[in-house]
C-alpha cells in the first residue's frame, strides 16, 4: 500500500507557474505538456527513488515540490566493522560534513599554535581530545539527519527506511532492518544508491582495517595510523590526523591524486611532509595481522613493492583503507528488469538526461558512469532530473568543469583540466601556462619571517586557438554543476578567473579565489583550467563578502539543531541561476 500523503497534488497550472517559465504553446510543441498530463493511477507512486543521499533526496524533494507522489527508500548496510548511520547518505554522515569538521579541528590546532606569535599567551599545554571531537561531530550529523527527515515530512515525501530491490518491471521489494518485506510500484524510478568503500581483498583487511565509513565516528583516538591510498579521501584523512598530532604514514601504490594536476599534488604532499606525514611510495599491503587487541590495538602490515620484490613491514595502531569505492548496484535487481551496468566498474551508463537502458529508470550521483563523484553534482543532477520529468523544464545537468576542493592541510581547489590533461587535449604548443605566486597575509609570515608565497598556476588556451572553452561556456558549466560551498572562509577553490563579470553563485571558495585572482591582475582571456593551493587565509580577508554565507563549523556545532545556513544560501543561489 502506498504511504498516505498529507498534501493534495498541485494543479498543473500551479506547478507549471512555480517551476517553469515555459509558455503553454511551447510546452505543447515540445511534447512537455503531454508528458505533464500523463498520470498513471495504476502505480502506487509517480516516482520511487532508491537511495536517500545527496542525489536521491534532491530529486525526491524536487519531484514532491512539483506535486508528485514520491517515495524514497534508504537503508545503510552496516560496514564490516558494524558502523551504520542515518538518512542523507555519504556526504552528511561519512563524507563531506564530518570530514570538513575534522579538517577544521586540525586547522584550529594549528591556529592555536600560531596564536602565540600573535601575542596569545596560553598558560597550559594544548592537547586534543579525540572523543570530544567525534562526539560533537556525531551530534551535529545527528541534527542534520533529523532536519533531513523533517524536510522530507514537510515536503510529503514518503521516507521508508528499507533496502530497495527490483523484482519485476515497475515493482520493487523493500526490506526493512527486521527483514520485513513490502512491495511498491511506481511509474518511474531513480537509482541513487551511491558507493561504499572498497577493501583490499587481502588477509586481515575486513577484520582489522577501518574505512571512511568507520573513521568519523571512531570512539577512540586511532593512534599511529597507516592510510592506504593516495587520493582525496586518503590525503584528506592523513592531513587532519597529522594536524591533530598523530603519527601518520600514507602508502601510495602509484601516484598522488590521480587525475588531478600533478604539480599541485606534489605541493600538497610536500606540505603534508612538513607536517610530519611519511609517504611510502610504490608499495601495496599484502597482509594485515593483529598483534594486540585494544582501542586502538596493534597491527602489523606487510607490504610489497609495486616495482620490484622488496617486502616491508610496519607496526601501526590503525589501518585506514581509502583505496576507492564500489558502486551499490549489484544487489538491487537491475538484471531482473534489464538495466545495463558496466560489469567492470558497477556503474550505470546513462544518456544526457540520466536515463538508463530501461526508459523509466534513471540514475543520479555516484552510481552514474563517467561523471564526477561530488555532492553538488549529485544534488544538481537530481534536482534537474525531477524538473525535467515532472516540471516541464528542459535543462540538463552539465557535468563539465565542476569545481572541487581537496581538503588537505594545504587546500587545493581546481576547476577545468589538470595541466597534463590540457596538454593532452590542446597540445603543449597551444597552451600557455601562467604561474602566479601571490603573497598572502598569513600568520606563518610572522612565524617564519619570510614571504610565504602561494603558487597558483593557470593553464590557459592560446587566444588564437579555436578549440578552447570560452569564458562564457565555462561559466555556464559552473552554474549547471551547482555548488557546495558551506565551508569556512579560509578556503578557496579554483572556480573562476579575474574579470569584469561577477561570480555566479559564489560562495566563500569562489570569493576567495576571485580575490586571489584579482590580486594577481592577470589578463586572462580564456582559461581552460584554474588551480589554486591555499593554506590559511586570514578569515577577515574572505568573509563577509560572500552574500551571507559566513557560518563556520564551530558555530554550527554549538547550534546543535541548527541547519547549516550556508547550504541553503548556496542552493538558493544555484536555483536562481538555473531559473534565469
Ligand atoms: P550517497 O550519498 O552515497 O547516498 C546513497 C544512499 O543510498 C546511502 O544512504 C545508501 O545507504 C543508500 N542505499 C544504497 N543502496 C540502497 C538500496 N538498495 N536501498 C535503499 N538504500 C540504499 N564530495 C564533495 O563534493 N565534497 C567533499 O568534500 C566530499 N568529501 C567526501 C569525503 C569522503 C570521505 C567521501 C567518502 C566522499 C566525499 N565526497 C565529497 C563525495 C560525496 O560524498 C558523494 O559524491 C555523494 O555523497 C554522492 O551522493 P549519492 O546520492 O550518489 O550517494
Ligand atoms: P579514488 O579517487 O578512487 O582513489 C583511490 C586511491 O586508492 C588511489 O590513490 C589509488 O591509487 C589507490 N588504490 C587503489 N587500489 C589500491 C590498492 N590495492 N592498494 C593501494 N592503493 C590503492 O577514491 P577515494 O579517494 O576513496 O575517493 C572516492 C571519490 O570520492 C572520488 O571520486 C572523489 O570525487 C570523492 N571525494 C571527493 C572529495 C572532495 O571533493 N574533497 C573528498 C573525498 C572523496 P592509484 O591511483 O594508483 O590507482
Amino acid at each position: 500500500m502506498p504511504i498516505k500523503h498529507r498534501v493534495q497534488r498541485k494543479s498543473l497550472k500551479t506547478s507549471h507557474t512555480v517551476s517553469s517559465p515555459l509558455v503553454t504553446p511551447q510546452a505543447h510543441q515540445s511534447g512537455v505538456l503531454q508528458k505533464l498530463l500523463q498520470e498513471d493511477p495504476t502505480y502506487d507512486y509517480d516516482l520511487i527513488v532508491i537511495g536517500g543521499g545527496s542525489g536521491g533526496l534532491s530529486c525526491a524533494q524536487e519531484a514532491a515540490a512539483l506535486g508528485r507522489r514520491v517515495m524514497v527508500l534508504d537503508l545503510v548496510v552496516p560496514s564490516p566493522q558494524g558502523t551504520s548511520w542515518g538518512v542523507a547518505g555519504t556526504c552528511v554522515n561519512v563524507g563531506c560534513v564530518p570530514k570538513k569538521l575534522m579538517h577544521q579541528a586540525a586547522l584550529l590546532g594549528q591556529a592555536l599554535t600560531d596564536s602565540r606569535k600573535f601575542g596569545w599567551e596560553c598558560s597550559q599545554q594544548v592537547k586534543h581530545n579525540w572523543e570530544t571531537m567525534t562526539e560533537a561531530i556525531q551530534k551535529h550529523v545527528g541534527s542534520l539527519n533529523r532536519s533531513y527527515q523533517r524536510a522530507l515530512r514537510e515536503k510529503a515525501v514518503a521516507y521508508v527506511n528499507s533496502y530497495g530491490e527490483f523484482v519485476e518491471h515497475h515493482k520493487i521489494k523493500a526490506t526493512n532492518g527486521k527483514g520485513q518485506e513490502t512491495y511498491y510500484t511506481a511509474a518511474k524510478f531513480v537509482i541513487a544508491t551511491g558507493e561504499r568503500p572498497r577493501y583490499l581483498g587481502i588477509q586481515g583487511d575486513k577484520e582489522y582495517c577501518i574505512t571512511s565509513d568507520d573513521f568519523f565516528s571512531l570512539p577512540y583516538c586511532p593512534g599511529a595510523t597507516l592510510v592506504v591510498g593516495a587520493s582525496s579521501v586518503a590525503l584528506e584523512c592523513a592531513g587532519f590526523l597529522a594536524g591533530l598530532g598523530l603519527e601518520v604514514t600514507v602508502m601510495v601504490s602509484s601516484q598522488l591524486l590521480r587525475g588531478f594536476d600533478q604539480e599541485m599534488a606534489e605541493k600538497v604532499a610536500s606540505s603534508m611532509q612538513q607536517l610530519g606525514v611519511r609517504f611510502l611510495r610504490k608499495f601495496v599491503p599484502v597482509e594485515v595481522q593483529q598483534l594486540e587487541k585494544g582501542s586502538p590495538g596493534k597491527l602489523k602490515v606487510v607490504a610489497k613493492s609495486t616495482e620490484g620484490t622488496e617486502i616491508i613491514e610496519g607496526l601501526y595502531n590503525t589501518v585506514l583503507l581509502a583505496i576507492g569505492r564500489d558502486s551499490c548496484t549489484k544487489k538491487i535487481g537491475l538484471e531482473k528488469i534489464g538495466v545495463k551496468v558496466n560489469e567492470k566498474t558497477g556503474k550505470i551508463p546513462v544518456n544526457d538526461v540520466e536515463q538508463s537502458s530501461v526508459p523509466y529508470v534513471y540514475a543520479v550521483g555516484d552510481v552514474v558512469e563517467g561523471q564526477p563523484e561530488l555532492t553538488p553534482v549529485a544534488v544538481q543532477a537530481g534536482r534537474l532530473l525531477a524538473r525535467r520529468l515532472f516540471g516541464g523544464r528542459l535543462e540538463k545537468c552539465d557535468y563539465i568543469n565542476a569545481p572541487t576542493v581537496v581538503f588537505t592541510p594545504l587546500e587545493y581547489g581546481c576547476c577545468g583540466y589538470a595541466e597534463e590533461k590540457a596538454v593532452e587535449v590542446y597540445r603543449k604548443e597551444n597552451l600557455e601556462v601562467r604561474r602566479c605566486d601571490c603573497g598572502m597575509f598569513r600568520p606563518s609570515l610572522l612565524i617564519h619571517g619570510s614571504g610565504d608565497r602561494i603558487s597558483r598556476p593557470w593553464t590557459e588556451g592560446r587566444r588564437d586557438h579555436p578549440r578552447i572553452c570560452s569564458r562564457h561556456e565555462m561559466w555556464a558549466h559552473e552554474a549547471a554543476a551547482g555548488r557546495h560551498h558551506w565551508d569556512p572562509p579560509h578556503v578557496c577553490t579554483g572556480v573562476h578567473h579575474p574579470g569584469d563579470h561577477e561570480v555566479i553563485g559564489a560562495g566563500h571558495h569562489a570569493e576567495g579565489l576571485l580575490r586571489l585572482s584579482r590580486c594577481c591582475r592577470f589578463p586572462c582571456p580564456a582559461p581552460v583550467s584554474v588551480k589554486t593551493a591555499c593554506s590559511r587565509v586570514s578569515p577577515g580577508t574572505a568573509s563577509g563578502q560572500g552574500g551571507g554565507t559566513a557560518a563556520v563549523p564551530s558555530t554550527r556545532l554549538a547550534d546543535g539543531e541548527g541547519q547549516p545556513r550556508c547550504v541553503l544560501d548556496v542552493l538558493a543561489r544555484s536555483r536562481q541561476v538555473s531559473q534565469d
Side-chain angles (χ1 to χ4, degrees):
M1 284 292 289
I3 290 171
K4 200 164 177 278
H5 277 253
R6 287 187 288 115
V7 291
Q8 291 288 308
R9 191 177 304 194
K10 284 179 194 150
S11 70
L12 174 63
K13 187 167 172 279
T14 313
S15 60
H16 190 72
T17 313
V18 167
S19 65
S20 171
L22 283 182
V23 288
T24 313
Q26 275 173 324
H28 182 259
Q29 221 174 3
S30 64
V32 162
L33 191 60
Q34 292 86 323
K35 248 170 113 182
L36 282 170
L37 291 169
Q38 278 167 14
E39 282 186 359
D40 200 335
T42 50
Y43 298 116
D44 299 336
Y45 290 93
D46 298 317
L47 175 70
I48 289 181
V49 178
I50 309 179
S54 309
L57 290 187
S58 81
C59 185
Q61 291 181 346
E62 193 71 13
L66 292 166
R68 296 301 165 143
R69 299 166 303 153
V70 184
M71 169 181 274
V72 176
L73 294 152
D74 188 66
L75 187 99
V76 178
V77 178
S79 75
Q81 297 294 335
T83 315
S84 72
W85 50 90
V87 71
T90 303
C91 168
V92 167
N93 296 281
V94 287
C96 332
V97 170
K99 177 278 295 289
K100 190 63 186 58
L101 292 172
M102 283 201 182
H103 175 64
Q104 177 69 7
L107 293 180
L108 284 172
Q110 187 62 49
L112 272 171
T113 311
D114 290 352
S115 70
R116 296 196 177 100
K117 297 282 173 186
F118 284 90
W120 292 101
E121 291 168 8
C122 310
S123 52
Q124 24 171 315
Q125 203 188 339
V126 182
K127 59 180 194 162
H128 183 258
N129 185 312
W130 178 273
E131 290 82 359
T132 305
M133 175 186 69
T134 44
E135 208 176 289
I137 289 174
Q138 289 308 312
K139 204 170 148 209
H140 179 67
V141 167
S143 81
L144 290 180
N145 292 149
R146 289 190 290 283
S147 67
Y148 274 101
Q149 278 192 330
R150 210 166 34 237
L152 289 173
R153 273 198 305 276
E154 281 165 11
K155 288 179 180 152
V157 174
Y159 164 66
V160 175
N161 186 205
S162 292
Y163 190 85
E165 178 189 346
F166 285 97
V167 285
E168 60 185 72
H169 274 292
H170 292 280
K171 187 171 185 178
I172 54 153
K173 177 171 79 180
T175 309
N176 71 12
K178 294 178 183 151
Q180 288 162 341
E181 295 173 359
T182 315
Y183 293 83
Y184 301 101
T185 60
K188 291 182 171 51
F189 287 83
V190 170
I191 302 165
T193 47
E195 299 180 313
R196 294 295 290 271
R198 188 173 300 151
Y199 281 81
L200 286 161
I202 60 169
Q203 200 181 324
D205 66 343
K206 283 203 172 147
E207 293 93 321
Y208 309 126
C209 302
I210 60 167
T211 67
S212 54
D213 279 359
D214 313 298
F215 181 74
F216 300 107
S217 56
L218 200 67
Y220 54 84
C221 178
T225 304
L226 172 70
V227 180
V228 184
S231 203
S232 319
V233 174
L235 296 190
E236 289 178 342
C237 292
F240 50 72
L241 283 174
L244 296 176
L246 301 179
E247 199 184 304
V248 185
T249 306
V250 178
M251 193 173 283
V252 185
S253 65
S254 63
Q255 59 177 176
L256 296 159
L257 292 172
R258 182 185 296 284
F260 286 88
D261 196 282
Q262 286 305 296
E263 180 187 13
M264 304 305 274
E266 288 305 327
K267 277 185 194 301
V268 164
S270 80
S271 79
M272 288 174 68
Q273 269 164 332
Q274 278 169 28
L275 254 184
V277 175
R278 189 165 72 109
F279 285 90
L280 283 175
R281 294 195 188 224
K282 310 272 166 106
F283 276 95
V284 287
V286 287
E287 190 184 344
V288 181
Q289 295 168 16
Q290 188 181 55
L291 301 184
E292 275 173 34
K293 283 189 177 174
S295 306
K298 196 181 271 183
L299 302 170
K300 180 165 109 177
V301 178
V302 183
K304 74 167 179 19
S305 163
T306 56
E307 294 184 320
T309 52
E310 193 184 350
I311 300 279
I312 54 169
E313 290 181 359
L315 297 185
Y316 307 95
N317 296 118
T318 300
V319 178
L320 171 67
L321 302 181
I323 57 161
R325 296 166 62 78
D326 292 324
S327 300
C328 302
T329 50
K330 291 226 164 74
K331 296 178 185 158
I332 56 172
L334 295 180
E335 68 293 345
K336 294 196 182 114
I337 55 164
V339 173
K340 280 201 185 110
V341 175
N342 180 325
E343 289 298 320
K344 221 171 132 198
T345 60
K347 298 258 185 182
I348 301 174
V350 294
N351 62 15
D352 65 348
V353 286
E354 285 90 24
Q355 193 173 34
S356 75
S357 56
V358 172
Y360 68 89
V361 179
Y362 298 79
V364 293
D366 285 1
V367 289
V368 170
E369 184 171 62
Q371 304 302 359
E373 295 168 2
L374 296 168
T375 285
V377 173
V379 168
Q380 187 75 335
R383 187 186 300 131
L384 292 179
L385 173 61
R387 287 181 190 170
R388 287 195 309 274
L389 292 178
F390 304 117
R393 298 287 290 256
L394 300 171
E395 292 99 325
K396 297 171 189 171
C397 184
D398 190 334
Y399 292 94
I400 303 168
N401 287 335
T404 186
V405 174
V406 184
F407 293 96
T408 34
L410 177 74
E411 291 155 352
Y412 160 37
C414 57
C415 181
Y417 291 124
E419 191 177 324
E420 293 82 356
K421 186 72 185 169
V423 168
E424 198 183 306
V425 174
Y426 299 109
R427 296 204 306 276
K428 205 171 170 53
E429 59 273 25
N430 294 318
L431 286 169
E432 187 185 334
V433 178
R434 296 185 179 194
R435 197 162 275 98
C436 161
D437 287 331
C438 58
M440 295 188 64
F441 178 70
R442 281 191 57 204
S444 51
L445 282 178
L446 295 182
I447 292 159
H448 304 304
S450 66
D452 192 2
R453 314 296 285 180
I454 292 161
S455 173
R456 195 225 29 204
W458 302 85
T459 308
E460 189 180 315
R462 272 171 51 154
R463 283 164 208 244
D464 54 354
H465 194 277
R467 283 183 299 160
I468 51 179
C469 312
S470 80
R471 190 186 295 180
H472 285 283
E473 275 167 7
M474 279 192 82
W475 289 3
H477 293 328
E478 285 167 27
R483 290 268 153 59
H484 194 41
H485 300 312
W486 38 270
D487 305 296
H490 52 260
V491 187
C492 63
T493 188
V495 292
H496 229 271
H497 81 93
D500 42 5
H501 297 258
E502 258 318 305
V503 177
I504 299 170
H508 283 300
H509 299 317
E511 182 67 25
L513 182 76
L514 187 69
R515 280 155 181 271
L516 266 176
S517 306
R518 282 200 173 132
C519 62
C520 308
R521 300 195 194 287
F522 263 150
C524 210
V528 294
S529 115
V530 179
K531 38 187 170 164
T532 175
C534 179
S535 42
R536 285 172 303 123
V537 178
S538 146
T541 324
S543 64
Q545 301 287 329
T549 55
V552 294
S554 51
T555 319
R556 284 192 256 138
L557 279 176
D559 281 352
E561 289 288 323
Q563 177 76 318
R565 188 161 60 89
C566 303
V567 175
L568 298 180
D569 285 348
V570 173
L571 291 184
R573 283 160 182 239
S574 50
R575 189 163 300 169
Q576 184 65 42
V577 168
S578 25
Q579 278 178 357
D580 291 345

